[in-house]
Amino acid sequence: MRLELNEAGRPAEEVFARMTDMRGGDVDWRSGKAAVYVFHSGDDVLQVAHEAYGMFISENGLGPAAFPSLRRMEKEVIQMALALQNAPESAAGSMSSGGSESILLAMKACRDYTLGRREIHGRPEVVVPYTAHPAFNKGAHLLGMKVVRVPTVDYVSDVEAMAAAVCENTVMLVGSAPCFPYGLVDPVADLGRLAERRGLWLHVDACVGGYVAPFVREVGVEVPAFDFALPGVSSMSADLHKYGYAAKGASTVLYRDRAMLQAQVFDFDDWPCGRMVTPTLAGTRPGGAIAAAWAVMNYLGRAGYVDRARRISSTREKLTAGVRQLGMDTFGEPRLSIAAFGTAQFDVLAAGERLYAQGWFSSRVRDPDGIQYMISPEHDKTIDAYLAVLGRAVADVRAGKVAQSGGDIRYS
Ligand SMILES: *Cc1c(COP(=O)(O)O)cnc(C)c1O
């Protein structure tokens, strides 16, 4: 039986009671039990995002002439983003609905920009490290492009192998800052030199790092260079709904040059309403997402982000020390907000499944097997509890009290 719209409507209290009931089964992220999906940086930040989103809930970013407020907020968000990423005067960018869309838009811009300047026979190719986000393959699928995934060394891009994978159809190289699986920054400076040498577009996927790395550096952690200060970097994706602590539905895609952004725009004229120019995939764009990002950035300021970066960095140190005490180690040396860890000594995924059964959510990695942990600022309050639960799970696995892991990693 298919559910149908109820006949008379329901009182709002009843609607909310039902939703409260439904969310009873959700991960309890407010108690620090989600190390993926949610980026909790404090109730005050949530309230600012919530109120700003509500204030512009009906406004539509599709109509900048009707809503100069949104045009101005997006422009200011992009200016702040470009400044954080040491972008030159010529740089430009736009907001999008998320990292996947930012990546897809950068690929579209690269494709059209390059095809306007160079002949390509066959599908334009994108050379990425094995650790790059699946959004590149999704983008290539939609854009008629091809992704070549190149094996990594020590969990980061093998620049020589990537150079060898470049062919006459290659248009784009990709580095991550950091990659999602292990939280490690690719050697973007070397990739930039390769891009310059071969006349290629280098995209830096800083969906995670864009809004955390600049501040982690300020608390004294060394992070490899990856921004526009490197002359070989052409574009960057950086998510506001991750470490910008904005409401979901907000990312930025940035370009070294305005002409590159122009290649992202879709301009159409052949229908009854006349010319329609849309910079992103969407038509209607939620005003709330733009407003919440602007509000949170202004509310936090540099000091607010530095404070969150300090909390993240101390949690990362605790996590790293804790997993080493349990006989595991991180894969590579993470310096930002993601760490993946494991060991060849026991079935770490079985320990992860034990945590999962107790309501602690995180991602997992394979090659090798490991648990991936994405740190929120608020995790500084719960990292000790996490390590205690992890310790018990590991002890049970070592004692043979836990079933072997299923092995298959699913994200749905
Ligand atoms: C999250 C993420 C993406 C995709 O972003 P969405 O907002 O989930 O679409 C891309 N790359 C990296 C490295 C990410 O962490």
Side-chain angles (χ1 to χ4, degrees):
M1 258 254 303
R2 175 175 289 148
L3 180 69
E4 286 182 43
L5 207 51
N6 75 68
E7 228 17 80
R10 292 196 172 98
E13 309 87 79
E14 191 190 323
V15 171
F16 281 99
R18 282 179 169 228
M19 286 193 290
T20 302
D21 185 49
M22 281 191 270
R23 94 185 323 195
D26 291 354
V27 60
D28 184 6
W29 55 269
R30 286 173 194 275
S31 304
K33 287 182 134 184
V36 62
Y37 304 134
V38 177
F39 304 81
H40 191 12
S41 68
D43 288 337
D44 56 334
V45 180
L46 272 180
Q47 196 187 333
V48 167
H50 189 112
E51 279 181 28
Y53 204 108
M55 191 171 164
F56 284 86
I57 196 164
S58 297
E59 279 73 1
N60 189 339
L62 176 61
F67 306 109
S69 56
L70 291 177
R71 183 194 351 231
R72 172 153 180 204
M73 283 189 273
E74 175 170 6
K75 196 170 161 207
E76 293 191 5
V77 164
I78 292 300
Q79 283 174 0
M80 290 186 273
L82 291 171
L84 275 177
Q85 303 307 333
N86 292 306
E89 271 306 306
S90 60
S94 75
M95 290 183 70
S96 81
S97 65
S100 299
E101 188 185 357
S102 288
I103 286 168
L104 195 141
L105 292 171
M107 292 172 77
K108 191 255 182 214
C110 169
R111 185 195 67 178
D112 292 357
Y113 183 91
T114 308
L115 289 179
R117 285 161 181 75
R118 217 176 94 197
E119 235 179 280
I120 294 196
H121 304 283
R123 285 184 295 167
E125 295 190 15
V126 183
V127 176
V128 312
Y130 175 56
T131 47
H133 195 276
F136 290 96
N137 288 73
K138 187 189 276 185
H141 180 74
L142 293 168
L143 290 164
M145 298 168 80
K146 176 181 167 185
V147 173
V148 179
R149 282 188 181 254
V150 177
T152 49
V153 271
D154 298 333
Y155 311 106
V156 295
S157 314
D158 180 343
V159 180
E160 275 180 37
M162 285 180 68
V166 170
C167 72
E168 58 187 7
N169 286 350
T170 304
V171 294
M172 182 187 256
L173 296 174
V174 171
S176 306
C179 69
F180 180 82
Y182 309 113
L184 305 170
V185 179
D186 281 321
V188 178
D190 294 339
L191 289 171
R193 278 187 285 274
L194 172 63
E196 284 191 289
R197 210 163 54 236
R198 305 292 292 265
L200 297 170
W201 176 308
L202 172 61
H203 179 80
V204 176
D205 182 8
C207 278
V208 169
Y211 293 99
V212 72
F215 309 109
V216 161
R217 283 198 187 106
E218 281 197 32
V219 302
V221 180
E222 260 185 63
V223 181
F226 65 80
D227 66 25
F228 289 99
L230 300 171
V233 173
S234 288
S235 61
M236 180 188 289
S237 43
D239 288 349
L240 289 161
H241 62 200
K242 287 176 182 157
Y243 292 95
Y245 311 119
K248 296 280 191 287
S251 174
T252 48
V253 53
L254 312 173
Y255 299 92
R256 175 169 295 280
D257 198 273
R258 180 157 288 282
M260 293 168 155
L261 172 64
Q262 278 311 316
Q264 174 187 305
V265 174
F266 191 72
D267 191 336
F268 187 77
D269 202 12
D270 189 18
W271 77 315
C273 287
R275 188 164 175 220
M276 187 171 181
V277 180
T278 46
T280 64
L281 270 187
T284 292
R285 302 170 75 200
I290 296 169
W294 185 90
V296 169
M297 289 172 98
N298 276 279
Y299 171 72
L300 284 173
R302 183 170 280 278
Y305 283 107
V306 169
D307 169 66
R308 269 80 187 167
R310 186 174 290 113
R311 294 169 65 190
I312 286 170
S313 298
S314 84
T315 300
R316 178 180 46 72
E317 283 166 18
K318 274 195 179 182
L319 178 67
T320 306
V323 302
R324 285 185 183 144
Q325 253 174 3
L326 294 172
M328 298 177 280
D329 205 349
T330 59
F331 302 140
E333 216 184 295
R335 285 150 186 258
L336 293 169
S337 51
I338 293 176
F341 52 89
T343 175
Q345 304 307 309
F346 54 83
D347 186 352
V348 62
L349 292 183
E353 281 170 16
R354 167 63 63 101
L355 290 175
Y356 193 83
Q358 293 172 59
W360 294 82
F361 271 69
S362 72
S363 289
R364 292 171 286 176
V365 292
R366 55 183 192 201
D367 311 317
D369 287 349
I371 294 172
Q372 189 252 29
Y373 193 100
M374 207 165 186
I375 304 164
S376 286
E378 288 281 304
H379 281 142
D380 61 350
K381 296 172 180 158
T382 53
I383 186 65
D384 293 329
Y386 175 78
L387 287 170
V389 178
L390 177 65
R392 284 194 292 278
V394 164
D396 286 350
V397 170
R398 289 188 128 151
K401 288 193 215 156
V402 177
Q404 262 196 317
S405 65
D408 204 22
I409 301 181
R410 296 183 48 180
Y411 290 95
S412 56

